[in-house]
Amino acid sequence: GAGVSQSPSNKVTEKGKDVELRCDPISGHTALYWYRQSLGQGLEFLIYFQGNSAPDKSGLPSDRFSAERTGGSVSTLTIQRTQQEDSAVYLCASSRLGGTNEKLFFGSGTQLSVL
Amino acid sequence: AQSVTQPDIHITVSEGASLELRCNYSYGATPYLFWYVQSPGQGLQLLLKYFSGDTLVQGIKGFEAEFKRSQSSFNLRKPSVHWSDAAEYFCAVAGGTSYGKLTFGQGTILTVHP
């Protein structure tokens, strides 16, 4: 596609429910990143994919968070048993090869609200 | 571990005035430095980046930034601000890994008065 696409754009859920957030990176981009943007915490790295593998999961805040990527393309971030502190904007980004000096292309994010 | 500090949470300028947004980083080696801009409801867009060479880098939308190793700074500047520049600006550093994992500053919100 022309850019990084994320869905849904907004998600409201009840505490304790599971949610899935989807990211469609730019076609051909091998690197994919998830970040979380919340008030008071700024932008935090969650996970990095190179192809379908996730060599860096160091930013996932707890074992309730998981992510996968299939076909070297679409990625899904899953949050189990959501808590109110999970409320944030979840941003996905991709880059062509994953190099340190590469530009990241960001999606518009999923605004998650946990009631 | 690297870190980024943006000392100014919120800056207000008049349209046509000059702008400087401050960024200080902490990193042991030569860093890869970036400025991204986020308009309301949008993802982040790269304005410019520095990783070697000339310490004054030019970016899109008339922005520039200067890398000063002695001050561990990478301040963003624009000679004349337009109303459309109102947004949140993030400074970021990459390093310590072989991939583009970014550490972001807290961001600076720019308000532009007509």
Side-chain angles (χ1 to χ4, degrees):
Chain A
V4 178
S5 178
Q6 292 187 246
S7 61
S9 55
N10 283 281
K11 177 72 176 178
V12 180
T13 190
E14 294 178 349
K15 177 181 173 182
K17 300 282 190 182
D18 298 352
V19 295
E20 287 189 349
L21 312 180
R22 177 187 169 105
C23 172
D24 277 279
I26 292 173
S27 178
H29 280 195
T30 64
L32 186 147
Y33 305 81
W34 284 97
Y35 286 84
R36 179 167 71 173
Q37 185 175 23
S38 54
L39 290 175
Q41 297 298 319
L43 276 153
E44 304 170 284
F45 167 82
L46 296 178
I47 189 169
Y48 159 65
F49 284 94
Q50 178 58 243
N52 293 335
S53 300
D56 189 345
K57 307 178 183 179
S58 63
L60 295 178
S62 74
D63 58 8
R64 296 186 296 105
F65 287 72
S66 63
E68 66 173 10
R69 189 179 184 194
T70 56
S73 181
V74 173
S75 177
T76 302
L77 177 68
T78 301
I79 309 173
Q80 296 179 311
R81 305 180 303 281
T82 52
Q83 303 293 313
Q84 287 184 334
E85 62 262 29
D86 300 334
S87 296
V89 176
Y90 290 82
L91 292 168
C92 175
S94 69
S95 68
R96 194 167 63 89
L97 297 173
T100 311
N101 64 345
E102 280 191 329
K103 172 182 177 180
L104 297 190
F105 293 81
F106 282 84
S108 298
T110 294
Q111 172 77 62
L112 175 65
S113 299
V114 182
L115 304 179
Chain B
Q2 60 259 39
S3 65
V4 177
T5 302
Q6 293 180 245
D8 304 305
I9 297 173
H10 195 172
I11 283 184
T12 299
V13 299
S14 297
E15 191 168 16
S18 64
L19 172 70
E20 183 170 32
L21 302 182
R22 296 184 290 164
C23 171
N24 292 97
Y25 69 90
S26 173
Y27 183 64
T30 299
Y32 295 86
L33 294 162
F34 304 80
W35 275 99
Y36 282 84
V37 61
Q38 185 178 35
S39 298
Q42 301 296 313
L44 282 76
Q45 181 184 22
L46 179 68
L47 286 175
L48 47 78
K49 62 181 180 178
Y50 169 82
F51 53 95
S52 67
D54 193 348
T55 57
L56 184 64
V57 293
Q58 303 297 320
I60 63 171
K61 304 185 180 186
F63 286 92
E64 66 177 27
E66 186 171 12
F67 170 62
K68 293 185 177 179
R69 183 188 301 276
S70 62
Q71 299 177 19
S72 297
S73 69
F74 188 57
N75 294 350
L76 182 71
R77 300 193 295 249
K78 187 169 184 178
S80 177
V81 170
H82 188 263
W83 64 266
S84 60
D85 293 325
E88 189 164 14
Y89 292 79
F90 292 92
C91 182
V93 62
T97 67
S98 61
Y99 45 94
K101 177 180 178 179
L102 297 178
T103 299
F104 286 91
Q106 291 294 308
T108 297
I109 298 171
L110 175 65
T111 298
V112 180
H113 281 321

